[in-house]
């Protein structure tokens, strides 16, 4: 997986807590793309530990990168809204079969676990307080 050289993350303000991550191979033009939400653990993996998990049908990809250009918000800033067209070089990628992820260890295991537990519950998270639905009475 070392052919994947760039990580891109884009947060569109109208996506209600969602962002799009993409890893891109500039040589072969292959890419893996994923729409995801930011649970607290996924946010901390991204901002503090500089890693993110993407998936395809059979595998998880734990992507490690550096925020060399200091494009990401600090941990105490508002999440996701501040991410706009983040682009960074990938340090390494660990490819893990979905059927074997529980046998991984350390950083890879915790990142995949955080990704799986995320469940895109961005509208009901106690942490971000978005998604309150107002139904007017007629």
């Amino acid at each position: 997986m070392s052919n994947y050289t760039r990580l891109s993350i884009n947060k569109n303000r109208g996506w209600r807590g969602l962002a799009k991550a993409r890893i891109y191979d500039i040589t072969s033009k292959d890419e893996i793309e994923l729409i995801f939400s930011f649970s607290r653990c996924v946010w901390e993996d991204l901002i503090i530990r500089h890693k993110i998990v993407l998936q395809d049908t059979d595998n998880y990809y734990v992507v490690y990168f550096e925020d060399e250009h200091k494009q990401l918000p600090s941990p105490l800033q508002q999440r996701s809204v501040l991410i706009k067209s983040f682009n960074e070089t990938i340090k390494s990628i660990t490819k893990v079969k979905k059927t074997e992820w529980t046998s991984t260890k350390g950083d890879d295991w915790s990142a995949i676990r955080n990704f799986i537990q995320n469940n895109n519950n961005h509208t009901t998270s106690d942490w971000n307080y978005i998604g309150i639905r107002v139904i007017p009475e007629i």
Side-chain angles (χ1 to χ4, degrees):
M1 288 307 302
S2 61
N3 290 342
Y4 287 93
T5 56
R6 301 296 292 170
L7 168 67
S8 300
I9 300 175
N10 187 294
K11 167 68 176 90
N12 184 318
R13 195 174 180 100
W15 286 0
R16 303 254 330 150
L18 297 177
K20 177 170 59 174
R22 178 175 71 130
I23 53 177
Y24 183 70
D25 182 341
I26 58 175
T27 306
S28 70
K29 310 288 191 237
D30 289 338
E31 64 183 28
I32 296 172
E33 192 173 273
L34 177 72
I35 303 288
F36 69 101
S37 65
F38 291 105
S39 68
R40 175 177 225 135
C41 293
V42 167
W43 177 250
E44 289 173 355
D45 279 348
L46 180 72
I47 300 300
I48 299 169
R49 293 178 274 285
H50 296 130
K51 63 184 174 182
I52 191 167
V53 175
L54 294 129
Q55 68 178 343
D56 62 17
T57 306
D58 301 315
N59 304 295
Y60 294 114
Y61 301 90
V62 185
V63 180
Y64 294 87
F65 63 93
E66 290 186 35
D67 186 13
E68 297 171 320
H69 303 101
K70 306 297 180 211
Q71 298 176 73
L72 292 174
S74 71
L76 300 177
Q77 287 181 292
Q78 182 180 1
R79 4 187 241 136
S80 71
V81 173
L82 297 175
I83 295 176
K84 187 70 176 163
S85 301
F86 173 79
N87 223 339
E88 196 58 76
T89 303
I90 294 171
K91 287 186 345 185
S92 66
I93 297 179
T94 305
K95 180 180 176 180
V96 179
K97 289 201 170 296
K98 287 185 175 180
T99 56
E100 299 171 9
W101 83 269
T102 55
S103 63
T104 60
K105 301 204 182 326
D107 290 340
D108 292 341
W109 182 88
S110 67
I112 294 170
R113 181 176 170 271
N114 290 341
F115 175 80
I116 291 170
Q117 289 185 338
N118 191 13
N119 288 328
N120 285 333
N121 290 330
H122 59 283
T123 58
T124 58
S125 168
D126 289 337
W127 186 53
N128 62 12
Y129 300 105
I130 55 176
I132 298 171
R133 188 172 181 184
V134 178
I135 302 172
E137 290 186 24
I138 300 177

